[in-house]
Amino acid sequence: MNDRPYKVFKIDNGTVIDHISSRMALKIIDILKVQEQGIISIGINFNSKKIDKKDIIKIENVYLDKKETDLIALLSPNSTINIVKDGIVIEKRKIDMPKEIEGIIKCPNPMCVTNTYHDCSTKFIVVRYDEASTILRCYYCERETPVLPMLIQ
Amino acid sequence: MDFKNKSIISLRDLTKEEVEFILQKSDEVKSDKHPDALKDKVMASLFFEPSTRTRLSFESAMISLGGKVFGFATQDSSSVSKGETLKDTIKMVTGYCDVIIMRHPLEGASRAAQEVSSVPIINCGDGSNQHPTQALLDLFTIKDKFKKIDGLNIGLYGDLRYGRTVHSLSMALSHYKVNLYFISPKILQMPDHYKLYLNQCGLKYFEAESLEEVADKLDVIYVTRIQKERFADPEEFVKVAGSYKITLNTLGMLKKSAKIMHPLPRVNEIDTSVDNTEHAIYFEQAHNGIPVRQALLGLVTGGIR
Ligand SMILES: [Zn+2]
């Protein structure tokens, strides 16, 4: 990310999420629950060499840990993470698909116990995934579902 | 193998060794080897949705081995209808009993209950998800009749899309080297994710739309009812349901040794004239619910080891 003049502010401290599948940036901010945490710059539909169009997110002064950034795999498995401190990238991180997802996703099965009782939060097991989709199984009702943006709580 | 305090929620949780152990203990119970296994144990029977057959089978299983029973048979008679959460009900009841059996209209309810329960829970049906004791008694019946499960050709017949029992049973059978035959109308075929699961377990299955195609191969035909609600067009239902029936004529296509099973209650998908033939084992299957449930109750409460 050197030869193209990005219109997303450079940050000196924080987390940069790059190569996000196009249009997923806002959903990713939702699943990371960072809306309230300081300044977030978002770029949508940038041209990219690696993928056709991409989104980019820069979160100032927030250092997301691996467990958090792995959640991005649900929506955009090929994203990359850079942790920046004092203007220097101190960690380049890949994201790995988590084994289980607690909270975050809503079960699409209307008869699922998690959709009726307020004290039953959701939990999903990642069953399989490829470039195109990620399939989860609800720990409770055992239904399988692809991850769809509409299911993010 | 220690089952004490283990909940029985889903077939998915049981290894082959555990399934085999349960079948072995059921066999011992059936031949009266554990007469006082449930003496002084207390079972809470929580039916948030009514199911007379399953409830009576469990309650009679408990009482005849010396246990005690309390509970409710429908949701209205408990405080649930006043807005108490499922987890609060369970937390309260665990103080009074050694084991909870529950049926609930919501899928995943038993799993959620297990998380807050200090006593083991046996799932007696959570919506259209799982009914593990039915699958285990089906398996027990097959093994009891054929003295083996490996190598059998097992046909699942009727509504394979919505039928919970055939889903649980095929999961239970995934531990064995059987050939499965899915015989159903196109719109009621076995859902893809079950087929995928069976594929991953290395199980072979074949799909057919009529019994004639595969009848002479089958050792077991597991019949399920096709329900009217599943069809948008009532004429289509009449046509389809009419062709998915077991009658005396059907029996001619079967092997002499083939057995017909059904989770009961049956409506007219098996003609009553079939009941008195050598092929019919569905009443025996229902009766096997007692030793299998006794074995499970004994195992999870520690009365059987
Ligand atoms: Zn669910």
Side-chain angles (χ1 to χ4, degrees), chain B residues 260-262 264 266 270 274-275 280-286:
Chain B
I260 300 169
M261 297 174 69
H262 191 294
L264 301 182
R266 130 268 332 243
I270 302 177
V274 175
D275 295 0
I281 59 167
Y282 27 91
F283 292 111
E284 197 176 334
Q285 177 191 356

Side-chain angles (χ1 to χ4, degrees), chain B residues 3 11-13 24 34 48 83 94 98 114 121 137 147 154 194 242-243 253 259 265:
Chain B
F3 268 93
L11 254 307
R12 209 182 274 283
D13 306 333
Q24 181 203 325
H34 299 277
F48 297 88
T94 52
D98 301 297
Q114 177 200 7
I121 291 190
L137 79 87
K147 303 298 164 212
I154 298 176
Y194 284 104
S243 64
M253 303 188 287
K259 300 296 177 199

